[in-house]
Amino acid sequence: MDSTQLLGYLGALIVGLVLGLIGGGGSILTVPLLVYLLGYNPVIATAYSLFVVGTSSMVGTYQKYKEGLVDFKTGLAFSFPSFVAVYLSRRYLVPSIPDTLYSFNDYTLSKEMSIMVFFAIIMLLASFSMIKREKNTNNVSKPQPYYKTFIQGLIIGTITGLIGAGGGFLYVPALVVWANIPMKKAVGTSLIIVTINSLIGFIGDIQTLEIEWIFLLSFTLISVIGIIIGVFISKFISGKKLKKSFGFFVLIMAIYIIYKELK
């Protein structure tokens, strides 16, 4: 095993740790890790990210459930429209994007480049939501009507399908604000949504991509170990401070990806 692979597997451990600690952000690390460090095509990287994050989140869901921090009813309500959108986007939308989106003189905007830039934009938005001061959510409004949840699920599902993300960084604030769920329970509940979204999205990829199962399973196993450790550590660390610190890290990563792709 060379140093690059070793760093890649260390990154897999960190992916799991982040998921266990803040309930989202795993894909924010997984995709750049697979693309820039391990040299995978962005389309393959987003597919692998769905499997890694989905499987790790499934383990995290079980651990959070044992602590009474998972609201299955609300989680499944958000999951249904999301996983439909994720599956359709991975099965039909991503494969239908042309390899070259725009070409002018010597400049070419490729499919791979556009996926990474879009991913970076979502990272920027996610970083701002993690850095900004959280509002007091003790007096939030009543849960919204389901048709709004359905529409929001479709939108978030399509976005996460395109970028190969579980969507935890989008669902945690949604669960707090819209579903009136306490922060700690929102983190646990988001993991069940991430699990369902990611694994069903990956099923769409199996039908269009060639998967390196040995690498993917070993990478995922290390992430699962990371999420077990992360869930345990989360009992002793302030979630607010951790989330803000991770937000700044995501911001730096997003700027780096945009620079890397557009230079």
Side-chain angles (χ1 to χ4, degrees), residues 91-104:
R91 178 68 179 88
Y92 299 105
L93 183 57
V94 173
S96 69
I97 298 174
D99 292 333
T100 300
L101 293 177
Y102 176 78
S103 182
F104 181 75

PDB file of all heavy atoms in Angstrom, residues 91-104:
ATOM      1  N   ARG A  91     -30.005   7.395 -11.938  1.00  0.00           N
ATOM      2  CA  ARG A  91     -30.276   6.407 -12.992  1.00  0.00           C
ATOM      3  C   ARG A  91     -30.398   7.049 -14.367  1.00  0.00           C
ATOM      4  O   ARG A  91     -29.938   6.488 -15.365  1.00  0.00           O
ATOM      5  CB  ARG A  91     -31.562   5.636 -12.657  1.00  0.00           C
ATOM      6  CG  ARG A  91     -31.995   4.602 -13.701  1.00  0.00           C
ATOM      7  CD  ARG A  91     -31.010   3.448 -13.762  1.00  0.00           C
ATOM      8  NE  ARG A  91     -31.423   2.439 -14.745  1.00  0.00           N
ATOM      9  CZ  ARG A  91     -31.110   2.469 -16.013  1.00  0.00           C
ATOM     10  NH1 ARG A  91     -30.395   3.493 -16.492  1.00  0.00           N
ATOM     11  NH2 ARG A  91     -31.503   1.521 -16.834  1.00  0.00           N
ATOM     12  N   TYR A  92     -31.024   8.234 -14.431  1.00  0.00           N
ATOM     13  CA  TYR A  92     -31.320   8.826 -15.736  1.00  0.00           C
ATOM     14  C   TYR A  92     -30.680  10.201 -15.971  1.00  0.00           C
ATOM     15  O   TYR A  92     -30.157  10.461 -17.066  1.00  0.00           O
ATOM     16  CB  TYR A  92     -32.843   8.953 -15.921  1.00  0.00           C
ATOM     17  CG  TYR A  92     -33.547   7.625 -15.882  1.00  0.00           C
ATOM     18  CD1 TYR A  92     -34.288   7.242 -14.768  1.00  0.00           C
ATOM     19  CD2 TYR A  92     -33.453   6.729 -16.952  1.00  0.00           C
ATOM     20  CE1 TYR A  92     -34.931   6.015 -14.717  1.00  0.00           C
ATOM     21  CE2 TYR A  92     -34.091   5.489 -16.917  1.00  0.00           C
ATOM     22  CZ  TYR A  92     -34.825   5.145 -15.792  1.00  0.00           C
ATOM     23  OH  TYR A  92     -35.445   3.921 -15.746  1.00  0.00           O
ATOM     24  N   LEU A  93     -30.724  11.082 -14.963  1.00  0.00           N
ATOM     25  CA  LEU A  93     -30.246  12.451 -15.180  1.00  0.00           C
ATOM     26  C   LEU A  93     -28.733  12.525 -15.351  1.00  0.00           C
ATOM     27  O   LEU A  93     -28.233  13.100 -16.330  1.00  0.00           O
ATOM     28  CB  LEU A  93     -30.690  13.349 -14.010  1.00  0.00           C
ATOM     29  CG  LEU A  93     -30.317  14.831 -14.119  1.00  0.00           C
ATOM     30  CD1 LEU A  93     -30.888  15.438 -15.401  1.00  0.00           C
ATOM     31  CD2 LEU A  93     -30.837  15.594 -12.901  1.00  0.00           C
ATOM     32  N   VAL A  94     -27.973  11.949 -14.417  1.00  0.00           N
ATOM     33  CA  VAL A  94     -26.511  12.005 -14.498  1.00  0.00           C
ATOM     34  C   VAL A  94     -25.977  11.340 -15.775  1.00  0.00           C
ATOM     35  O   VAL A  94     -25.149  11.929 -16.483  1.00  0.00           O
ATOM     36  CB  VAL A  94     -25.853  11.380 -13.240  1.00  0.00           C
ATOM     37  CG1 VAL A  94     -24.339  11.297 -13.411  1.00  0.00           C
ATOM     38  CG2 VAL A  94     -26.182  12.217 -12.001  1.00  0.00           C
ATOM     39  N   PRO A  95     -26.447  10.107 -16.138  1.00  0.00           N
ATOM     40  CA  PRO A  95     -25.949   9.498 -17.378  1.00  0.00           C
ATOM     41  C   PRO A  95     -26.321  10.282 -18.639  1.00  0.00           C
ATOM     42  O   PRO A  95     -25.640  10.170 -19.657  1.00  0.00           O
ATOM     43  CB  PRO A  95     -26.632   8.116 -17.392  1.00  0.00           C
ATOM     44  CG  PRO A  95     -26.952   7.837 -15.965  1.00  0.00           C
ATOM     45  CD  PRO A  95     -27.312   9.170 -15.386  1.00  0.00           C
ATOM     46  N   SER A  96     -27.398  11.084 -18.570  1.00  0.00           N
ATOM     47  CA  SER A  96     -27.847  11.811 -19.766  1.00  0.00           C
ATOM     48  C   SER A  96     -27.107  13.131 -19.975  1.00  0.00           C
ATOM     49  O   SER A  96     -27.227  13.745 -21.048  1.00  0.00           O
ATOM     50  CB  SER A  96     -29.353  12.094 -19.669  1.00  0.00           C
ATOM     51  OG  SER A  96     -29.627  13.042 -18.649  1.00  0.00           O
ATOM     52  N   ILE A  97     -26.344  13.575 -18.969  1.00  0.00           N
ATOM     53  CA  ILE A  97     -25.581  14.827 -19.126  1.00  0.00           C
ATOM     54  C   ILE A  97     -24.473  14.603 -20.157  1.00  0.00           C
ATOM     55  O   ILE A  97     -23.688  13.669 -20.028  1.00  0.00           O
ATOM     56  CB  ILE A  97     -24.966  15.268 -17.778  1.00  0.00           C
ATOM     57  CG1 ILE A  97     -26.062  15.548 -16.749  1.00  0.00           C
ATOM     58  CG2 ILE A  97     -24.111  16.528 -17.972  1.00  0.00           C
ATOM     59  CD1 ILE A  97     -25.533  15.836 -15.360  1.00  0.00           C
ATOM     60  N   PRO A  98     -24.389  15.434 -21.185  1.00  0.00           N
ATOM     61  CA  PRO A  98     -23.348  15.234 -22.208  1.00  0.00           C
ATOM     62  C   PRO A  98     -21.947  15.436 -21.640  1.00  0.00           C
ATOM     63  O   PRO A  98     -21.753  16.185 -20.683  1.00  0.00           O
ATOM     64  CB  PRO A  98     -23.685  16.300 -23.260  1.00  0.00           C
ATOM     65  CG  PRO A  98     -24.502  17.324 -22.534  1.00  0.00           C
ATOM     66  CD  PRO A  98     -25.269  16.581 -21.486  1.00  0.00           C
ATOM     67  N   ASP A  99     -20.963  14.747 -22.235  1.00  0.00           N
ATOM     68  CA  ASP A  99     -19.584  14.836 -21.762  1.00  0.00           C
ATOM     69  C   ASP A  99     -19.028  16.255 -21.880  1.00  0.00           C
ATOM     70  O   ASP A  99     -18.206  16.675 -21.077  1.00  0.00           O
ATOM     71  CB  ASP A  99     -18.691  13.862 -22.535  1.00  0.00           C
ATOM     72  CG  ASP A  99     -19.014  12.414 -22.209  1.00  0.00           C
ATOM     73  OD1 ASP A  99     -19.516  12.173 -21.087  1.00  0.00           O
ATOM     74  OD2 ASP A  99     -18.784  11.544 -23.053  1.00  0.00           O
ATOM     75  N   THR A 100     -19.480  16.981 -22.904  1.00  0.00           N
ATOM     76  CA  THR A 100     -19.063  18.382 -23.079  1.00  0.00           C
ATOM     77  C   THR A 100     -20.301  19.263 -23.030  1.00  0.00           C
ATOM     78  O   THR A 100     -21.188  19.151 -23.874  1.00  0.00           O
ATOM     79  CB  THR A 100     -18.336  18.580 -24.416  1.00  0.00           C
ATOM     80  OG1 THR A 100     -17.176  17.743 -24.450  1.00  0.00           O
ATOM     81  CG2 THR A 100     -17.917  20.032 -24.588  1.00  0.00           C
ATOM     82  N   LEU A 101     -20.373  20.149 -22.044  1.00  0.00           N
ATOM     83  CA  LEU A 101     -21.535  21.018 -21.889  1.00  0.00           C
ATOM     84  C   LEU A 101     -21.379  22.325 -22.667  1.00  0.00           C
ATOM     85  O   LEU A 101     -22.354  22.889 -23.160  1.00  0.00           O
ATOM     86  CB  LEU A 101     -21.750  21.334 -20.403  1.00  0.00           C
ATOM     87  CG  LEU A 101     -22.174  20.169 -19.505  1.00  0.00           C
ATOM     88  CD1 LEU A 101     -22.285  20.624 -18.066  1.00  0.00           C
ATOM     89  CD2 LEU A 101     -23.502  19.589 -19.961  1.00  0.00           C
ATOM     90  N   TYR A 102     -20.132  22.799 -22.750  1.00  0.00           N
ATOM     91  CA  TYR A 102     -19.899  24.085 -23.414  1.00  0.00           C
ATOM     92  C   TYR A 102     -18.471  24.119 -23.923  1.00  0.00           C
ATOM     93  O   TYR A 102     -17.547  23.651 -23.259  1.00  0.00           O
ATOM     94  CB  TYR A 102     -20.136  25.228 -22.426  1.00  0.00           C
ATOM     95  CG  TYR A 102     -19.831  26.599 -22.982  1.00  0.00           C
ATOM     96  CD1 TYR A 102     -20.716  27.236 -23.841  1.00  0.00           C
ATOM     97  CD2 TYR A 102     -18.640  27.249 -22.638  1.00  0.00           C
ATOM     98  CE1 TYR A 102     -20.423  28.502 -24.340  1.00  0.00           C
ATOM     99  CE2 TYR A 102     -18.354  28.511 -23.130  1.00  0.00           C
ATOM    100  CZ  TYR A 102     -19.248  29.142 -23.997  1.00  0.00           C
ATOM    101  OH  TYR A 102     -18.957  30.373 -24.493  1.00  0.00           O
ATOM    102  N   SER A 103     -18.295  24.661 -25.113  1.00  0.00           N
ATOM    103  CA  SER A 103     -16.951  24.761 -25.677  1.00  0.00           C
ATOM    104  C   SER A 103     -16.811  26.070 -26.441  1.00  0.00           C
ATOM    105  O   SER A 103     -17.668  26.410 -27.273  1.00  0.00           O
ATOM    106  CB  SER A 103     -16.694  23.572 -26.613  1.00  0.00           C
ATOM    107  OG  SER A 103     -15.381  23.626 -27.131  1.00  0.00           O
ATOM    108  N   PHE A 104     -15.756  26.803 -26.120  1.00  0.00           N
ATOM    109  CA  PHE A 104     -15.493  28.054 -26.823  1.00  0.00           C
ATOM    110  C   PHE A 104     -13.979  28.224 -26.970  1.00  0.00           C
ATOM    111  O   PHE A 104     -13.256  28.310 -25.984  1.00  0.00           O
ATOM    112  CB  PHE A 104     -16.092  29.243 -26.066  1.00  0.00           C
ATOM    113  CG  PHE A 104     -15.881  30.563 -26.752  1.00  0.00           C
ATOM    114  CD1 PHE A 104     -16.627  30.902 -27.870  1.00  0.00           C
ATOM    115  CD2 PHE A 104     -14.919  31.458 -26.290  1.00  0.00           C
ATOM    116  CE1 PHE A 104     -16.435  32.112 -28.518  1.00  0.00           C
ATOM    117  CE2 PHE A 104     -14.714  32.675 -26.922  1.00  0.00           C
ATOM    118  CZ  PHE A 104     -15.483  33.007 -28.039  1.00  0.00           C
TER     119      PHE A 104
END
